[in-house]
Amino acid sequence: MAKQRVLSGMQSSGRLHLGNLVGALQNWVRLQRDYDCYYFIADWHSLTTLYTDTSLIRENVKDVLINWLAAGIDPQKCTIFIQSRVLEHAELHLLFSMITPLGWLERVPTYKEKQEEIKDRDLGTYGFLGYPVLQSADILIYRAQYVPVGIDQIPHLEITREIARRFNFLYGNIFPEPEAMLTEFPKLPGIDGRKMSKSYGNAIYLSDPPKDVEQKLLTMMTDPARVKKTDPGEPEICPVFTMHKIFSSKEEQQFCASGCRTAGIGCIECKRILIKNIFGVMEPIWEKRNELLQHPDVLSDIVEEGIKKARKAATVTMTMAREAMRI
Ligand code: TRP
Ligand code: SF4
């Protein structure tokens, strides 16, 4: 039986961090065994907010790609490509824009939220409002069944399904309605205890050298009640312990939790255990990254191959869509 199709994308608007690794990438890696996976870098989407300064886009695309491969996304098992290299996405986006009511887009919660959050740029553009329409084209052009995304993307998936239904109603049944594949994962805290995010400046990046990762973790916020080593603490309110829950063994977690509550261990000792475990996860990534950085030709072969496969799939859908619309 043919494998079901999974599709997901990531914007290219910055370096990837540990939160992206445990929240999305490791899940994508797991999916590639059982599904026909299409993973792409959404560089056009990053233009919706970064259009005034495009100087870093290409570099960021390359960095995202290196991180994907280093994290175990395998071009032998899935299709990896860049959105802007498959022009059919733009054509489908245009066709969808004809049938998408403005009200659907204005109601998307991320539309207002982002506009309020990002004050230094004008997001009152046509492209920014149309972000979910482009995302719908990304998904529907591959007629994907499942879309692994975080909970914040659910409204975009809902619009995708609405656009599919509307197109199918108007012109005939072309697009299957995709489903979100929610990955429930505890949010990784950043070194200041807030959610790890590149906009907070509290992230540990996959591209950080070991020394920086160690330094960041050594200065990471702890339970503020532990001023001195003799002050007992409460691991459940400590962001370092939240990290332990993700990266450390049950035994290590117990050791740290009871050592913390009884003031039997200091925060540095507790963090050393975490550092060892995070290094265990990052070491193979660092190795692979260095290897790839030295072989840029391998990178371009991989994307060119992926782009070819993606175009082929996209072309089939576009032929059907144009036919259905009689254009
Ligand atoms: N909006 C997604 C994000 O910010 C990125 C994205 C663009 C995407 N097109 C997509 C995700 C299609 C899934 C499917 O994370
Ligand atoms: Fe946090 Fe560990 Fe220090 Fe306890 S011992 S406050 S869990 S860093």
Side-chain angles (χ1 to χ4, degrees), residues 25 28-29 32 67-75 77-78 285 288:
L25 275 184
W28 289 14
V29 170
Q32 52 186 358
N67 283 320
W68 282 8
L69 299 169
I73 303 287
D74 182 351
K77 296 187 189 137
C78 62
I285 296 179
K288 194 88 193 281

Side-chain angles (χ1 to χ4, degrees), residues 99 104 140 157-173 175-178:
I99 65 168
W104 290 4
L140 295 174
L157 253 291
E158 204 37 61
I159 290 231
T160 304
R161 294 158 59 88
E162 280 174 320
I163 290 178
R165 276 199 289 275
R166 190 160 167 95
F167 188 102
N168 292 344
F169 169 75
L170 290 170
Y171 312 115
N173 229 337
F175 297 110
E177 286 182 38

Side-chain angles (χ1 to χ4, degrees), residues 222-223 226 235 238 240-241 260 267 270:
T222 60
D223 176 358
R226 294 208 74 184
C238 174
V240 174
F241 195 68
C260 179
C267 289
C270 177

Side-chain angles (χ1 to χ4, degrees), residues 172-245:
N173 229 337
I174 302 288
F175 297 110
E177 286 182 38
E179 276 173 53
M181 228 180 199
L182 263 190
T183 26
E184 280 312 327
F185 206 87
K187 283 267 175 281
L188 206 65
I191 56 171
D192 60 359
R194 293 186 293 172
K195 172 185 159 219
M196 188 179 286
S197 158
K198 58 179 185 292
S199 42
Y200 293 157
N202 64 0
I204 294 172
Y205 292 100
L206 300 184
S207 54
D208 281 344
K211 252 187 29 269
D212 292 14
V213 174
E214 183 182 25
Q215 202 46 43
K216 285 181 180 180
L217 289 167
L218 285 174
T219 56
M220 183 160 177
M221 197 188 121
T222 60
D223 176 358
R226 294 208 74 184
V227 183
K228 299 189 300 300
K229 200 179 154 179
T230 48
D231 299 326
E234 178 44 58
E236 289 305 331
I237 62 165
C238 174
V240 174
F241 195 68
T242 310
M243 287 267 210
H244 271 302
K245 286 184 183 162

Side-chain angles (χ1 to χ4, degrees), residues 56-222:
L56 292 178
I57 290 196
R58 283 194 188 151
E59 210 174 295
N60 287 339
V61 166
K62 189 175 153 197
D63 193 56
V64 170
L65 187 66
I66 289 178
N67 283 320
W68 282 8
L69 299 169
I73 303 287
D74 182 351
Q76 304 292 334
K77 296 187 189 137
C78 62
T79 307
I80 304 169
F81 63 99
I82 300 168
Q83 181 188 38
S84 64
R85 296 286 310 280
V86 185
L87 299 179
E88 284 78 3
H89 290 229
E91 184 183 356
L92 192 57
H93 169 246
L94 177 120
L95 296 180
F96 284 168
S97 75
M98 305 298 168
I99 65 168
T100 307
L102 278 180
W104 290 4
L105 301 174
E106 286 161 348
R107 270 200 301 276
V108 173
T110 44
Y111 178 61
K112 284 262 146 46
E113 281 164 20
K114 271 255 170 119
Q115 280 192 325
E116 262 147 44
E117 184 189 314
I118 303 178
K119 284 281 179 233
D120 57 331
R121 277 159 281 161
D122 179 9
L123 296 186
T125 60
Y126 180 50
F128 185 68
L129 180 66
Y131 186 114
V133 184
L134 180 57
Q135 183 161 351
S136 301
D138 296 337
I139 298 168
L140 295 174
I141 205 162
Y142 300 102
R143 301 156 47 78
Q145 272 99 353
Y146 299 110
V147 185
V149 282
I151 196 144
D152 59 309
Q153 295 294 311
I154 294 297
H156 294 165
L157 253 291
E158 204 37 61
I159 290 231
T160 304
R161 294 158 59 88
E162 280 174 320
I163 290 178
R165 276 199 289 275
R166 190 160 167 95
F167 188 102
N168 292 344
F169 169 75
L170 290 170
Y171 312 115
N173 229 337
I174 302 288
F175 297 110
E177 286 182 38
E179 276 173 53
M181 228 180 199
L182 263 190
T183 26
E184 280 312 327
F185 206 87
K187 283 267 175 281
L188 206 65
I191 56 171
D192 60 359
R194 293 186 293 172
K195 172 185 159 219
M196 188 179 286
S197 158
K198 58 179 185 292
S199 42
Y200 293 157
N202 64 0
I204 294 172
Y205 292 100
L206 300 184
S207 54
D208 281 344
K211 252 187 29 269
D212 292 14
V213 174
E214 183 182 25
Q215 202 46 43
K216 285 181 180 180
L217 289 167
L218 285 174
T219 56
M220 183 160 177
M221 197 188 121
T222 60

